[in-house]
Amino acid sequence: MEALLTGFSKWLAATSLSHTIQTVTWIIPTLQTIHILCVAIVFSSAVLVDLRIFRLFERDQRLGVITQRFLTPIWPVLVILLVTGSLLIIGEPRRSLVNITFYLKMALLIVAVLLTATLQRTAVASPGLYEDRSRRLTGQALATLSVLVWCGILFAGRWIAYTQAGL
Protein backbone atom coordinates (compact mmCIF):
# COMPACT_ATOMS: atom_id res chain seq x y z
CA MET A 1 0.00 0.00 0.00
CA GLU A 2 2.84 2.39 0.83
CA ALA A 3 4.37 1.83 -2.61
CA LEU A 4 1.03 2.63 -4.23
CA LEU A 5 0.64 5.80 -2.18
CA THR A 6 4.24 6.82 -2.89
CA GLY A 7 3.68 6.35 -6.62
CA PHE A 8 0.43 8.31 -6.49
CA SER A 9 2.18 11.07 -4.50
CA LYS A 10 4.94 11.31 -7.12
CA TRP A 11 2.37 11.48 -9.92
CA LEU A 12 0.33 14.12 -8.08
CA ALA A 13 3.45 16.19 -7.35
CA ALA A 14 4.24 16.19 -11.07
CA THR A 15 0.86 17.69 -12.09
CA SER A 16 0.67 21.29 -13.23
CA LEU A 17 -1.63 22.24 -10.35
CA SER A 18 0.81 20.81 -7.82
CA HIS A 19 3.70 22.57 -9.54
CA THR A 20 1.81 25.90 -9.40
CA ILE A 21 0.99 25.44 -5.72
CA GLN A 22 4.62 24.53 -4.99
CA THR A 23 6.21 27.39 -6.93
CA VAL A 24 3.95 30.39 -6.33
CA THR A 25 5.30 31.55 -3.00
CA TRP A 26 2.10 32.94 -1.51
CA ILE A 27 -0.24 29.99 -2.21
CA ILE A 28 0.79 27.53 0.52
CA PRO A 29 0.99 30.13 3.32
CA THR A 30 -2.39 31.54 2.26
CA LEU A 31 -4.00 28.09 2.14
CA GLN A 32 -2.49 27.18 5.49
CA THR A 33 -3.74 30.42 7.06
CA ILE A 34 -7.27 29.91 5.77
CA HIS A 35 -7.15 26.26 6.87
CA ILE A 36 -5.99 27.13 10.38
CA LEU A 37 -8.58 29.91 10.79
CA CYS A 38 -11.32 27.51 9.70
CA VAL A 39 -10.05 24.88 12.13
CA ALA A 40 -10.28 27.50 14.89
CA ILE A 41 -13.88 28.30 13.93
CA VAL A 42 -14.96 24.66 13.85
CA PHE A 43 -13.09 23.72 17.03
CA SER A 44 -14.34 26.68 19.05
CA SER A 45 -17.93 26.21 17.85
CA ALA A 46 -17.94 22.54 18.81
CA VAL A 47 -16.31 23.20 22.18
CA LEU A 48 -18.79 25.97 23.02
CA VAL A 49 -21.66 23.54 22.51
CA ASP A 50 -19.82 20.95 24.60
CA LEU A 51 -19.36 23.53 27.36
CA ARG A 52 -23.10 24.26 27.26
CA ILE A 53 -23.79 20.55 27.72
CA PHE A 54 -21.59 20.74 30.83
CA ARG A 55 -23.57 23.84 31.88
CA LEU A 56 -20.40 25.93 31.90
CA PHE A 57 -21.55 28.28 29.13
CA GLU A 58 -24.83 30.09 28.43
CA ARG A 59 -26.80 28.22 31.11
CA ASP A 60 -29.78 30.49 30.60
CA GLN A 61 -30.07 29.43 26.93
CA ARG A 62 -31.60 26.13 25.83
CA LEU A 63 -29.15 23.68 24.31
CA GLY A 64 -31.04 23.70 21.00
CA VAL A 65 -30.59 27.46 20.67
CA ILE A 66 -26.85 27.24 21.40
CA THR A 67 -26.48 24.31 19.04
CA GLN A 68 -28.18 26.14 16.19
CA ARG A 69 -26.12 29.27 16.84
CA PHE A 70 -22.74 27.55 16.94
CA LEU A 71 -23.00 24.28 15.02
CA THR A 72 -25.02 25.36 11.99
CA PRO A 73 -22.22 27.61 10.64
CA ILE A 74 -19.55 24.90 10.89
CA TRP A 75 -20.86 22.90 7.93
CA PRO A 76 -19.90 25.45 5.24
CA VAL A 77 -16.60 26.01 7.07
CA LEU A 78 -15.93 22.26 6.85
CA VAL A 79 -16.32 22.56 3.07
CA ILE A 80 -13.67 25.31 3.05
CA LEU A 81 -11.45 23.03 5.16
CA LEU A 82 -11.94 20.25 2.63
CA VAL A 83 -10.98 22.52 -0.27
CA THR A 84 -7.94 24.10 1.42
CA GLY A 85 -6.78 20.75 2.80
CA SER A 86 -7.12 19.11 -0.61
CA LEU A 87 -5.12 21.89 -2.26
CA LEU A 88 -2.43 21.59 0.43
CA ILE A 89 -2.25 17.85 -0.24
CA ILE A 90 -1.99 18.46 -3.99
CA GLY A 91 0.83 20.96 -3.35
CA GLU A 92 2.74 18.64 -1.02
CA PRO A 93 1.31 15.15 -1.56
CA ARG A 94 4.15 13.17 0.02
CA ARG A 95 3.79 15.15 3.25
CA SER A 96 0.33 13.69 3.84
CA LEU A 97 -0.43 10.73 1.63
CA VAL A 98 2.38 8.52 2.94
CA ASN A 99 2.04 9.70 6.52
CA ILE A 100 0.14 7.55 9.02
CA THR A 101 -0.58 10.63 11.17
CA PHE A 102 -2.57 12.13 8.29
CA TYR A 103 -4.83 9.06 8.27
CA LEU A 104 -5.20 9.28 12.05
CA LYS A 105 -6.32 12.90 11.61
CA MET A 106 -8.81 11.90 8.88
CA ALA A 107 -10.23 9.07 11.02
CA LEU A 108 -10.63 11.43 13.98
CA LEU A 109 -12.25 13.98 11.70
CA ILE A 110 -14.84 11.45 10.56
CA VAL A 111 -15.62 10.61 14.20
CA ALA A 112 -15.81 14.30 15.11
CA VAL A 113 -18.12 15.17 12.24
CA LEU A 114 -20.44 12.25 13.01
CA LEU A 115 -20.43 13.06 16.72
CA THR A 116 -21.04 16.77 16.11
CA ALA A 117 -23.86 16.07 13.65
CA THR A 118 -25.44 13.67 16.15
CA LEU A 119 -25.19 16.19 18.99
CA GLN A 120 -26.66 18.89 16.76
CA ARG A 121 -29.52 16.75 15.51
CA THR A 122 -30.32 15.49 19.01
CA ALA A 123 -30.20 18.92 20.64
CA VAL A 124 -32.43 20.49 18.01
CA ALA A 125 -34.94 17.61 17.88
CA SER A 126 -35.13 17.14 21.67
CA PRO A 127 -34.06 20.41 23.32
CA GLY A 128 -34.59 19.16 26.86
CA LEU A 129 -32.91 15.81 26.27
CA TYR A 130 -29.93 16.36 28.57
CA GLU A 131 -31.89 17.93 31.42
CA ASP A 132 -32.49 14.89 33.65
CA ARG A 133 -29.51 13.46 35.52
CA SER A 134 -28.93 10.19 33.64
CA ARG A 135 -29.27 11.79 30.23
CA ARG A 136 -27.15 14.72 31.32
CA LEU A 137 -24.36 12.28 32.21
CA THR A 138 -24.69 10.70 28.75
CA GLY A 139 -24.55 14.14 27.16
CA GLN A 140 -21.51 15.06 29.23
CA ALA A 141 -19.78 11.83 28.22
CA LEU A 142 -20.46 12.64 24.56
CA ALA A 143 -19.27 16.21 25.08
CA THR A 144 -16.06 14.93 26.69
CA LEU A 145 -15.50 12.59 23.76
CA SER A 146 -16.16 15.46 21.38
CA VAL A 147 -13.56 17.71 23.02
CA LEU A 148 -11.01 14.87 23.09
CA VAL A 149 -11.57 14.00 19.42
CA TRP A 150 -11.35 17.64 18.28
CA CYS A 151 -8.15 18.07 20.34
CA GLY A 152 -6.82 14.88 18.75
CA ILE A 153 -7.45 16.41 15.32
CA LEU A 154 -5.51 19.53 16.30
CA PHE A 155 -2.58 17.50 17.62
CA ALA A 156 -2.54 15.14 14.65
CA GLY A 157 -2.66 18.08 12.25
CA ARG A 158 0.46 19.58 13.80
CA TRP A 159 2.10 16.18 14.21
CA ILE A 160 1.94 15.55 10.44
CA ALA A 161 4.84 17.94 9.93
CA TYR A 162 7.03 15.91 12.29
CA THR A 163 6.21 12.37 11.14
CA GLN A 164 6.88 12.61 7.42
CA ALA A 165 7.83 9.28 5.89
CA GLY A 166 11.17 8.83 4.21
CA LEU A 167 12.67 12.12 5.32
Side-chain angles (χ1 to χ4, degrees), residues 10-80:
K10 287 179 183 177
W11 171 83
L12 191 56
T15 63
S16 60
L17 179 57
S18 181
H19 181 70
T20 300
I21 292 170
Q22 292 170 32
T23 57
V24 178
T25 57
W26 60 267
I27 292 178
I28 289 179
T30 301
L31 289 172
Q32 287 176 337
T33 300
I34 294 168
H35 197 77
I36 290 167
L37 289 172
C38 288
V39 167
I41 291 167
V42 171
F43 177 79
S44 60
S45 295
V47 169
L48 286 172
V49 172
D50 295 334
L51 290 174
R52 170 54 184 88
I53 292 171
F54 277 106
R55 297 181 176 198
L56 297 172
F57 173 74
E58 295 283 350
R59 285 189 239 182
D60 58 329
Q61 295 286 321
R62 296 199 54 96
L63 180 59
V65 171
I66 298 299
T67 300
Q68 283 192 293
R69 184 187 317 153
F70 291 107
L71 293 188
T72 302
I74 74 168
W75 304 113
V77 176
L78 281 172
V79 172
I80 296 168

Side-chain angles (χ1 to χ4, degrees), residues 77-136:
V77 176
L78 281 172
V79 172
I80 296 168
L81 280 170
L82 176 66
V83 171
T84 57
S86 297
L87 289 171
L88 287 167
I89 290 168
I90 291 168
E92 301 175 296
R94 184 167 170 77
R95 182 176 189 210
S96 296
L97 296 179
V98 293
N99 190 331
I100 190 71
T101 308
F102 170 76
Y103 295 102
L104 171 63
K105 178 184 173 185
M106 293 300 103
L108 288 171
L109 183 60
I110 290 168
V111 171
V113 166
L114 292 173
L115 184 57
T116 301
T118 301
L119 282 171
Q120 181 179 15
R121 192 172 341 110
T122 303
V124 171
S126 305
L129 180 67
Y130 298 128
E131 297 304 318
D132 71 57
R133 181 165 166 67
S134 65
R135 288 189 174 157
R136 187 170 56 242

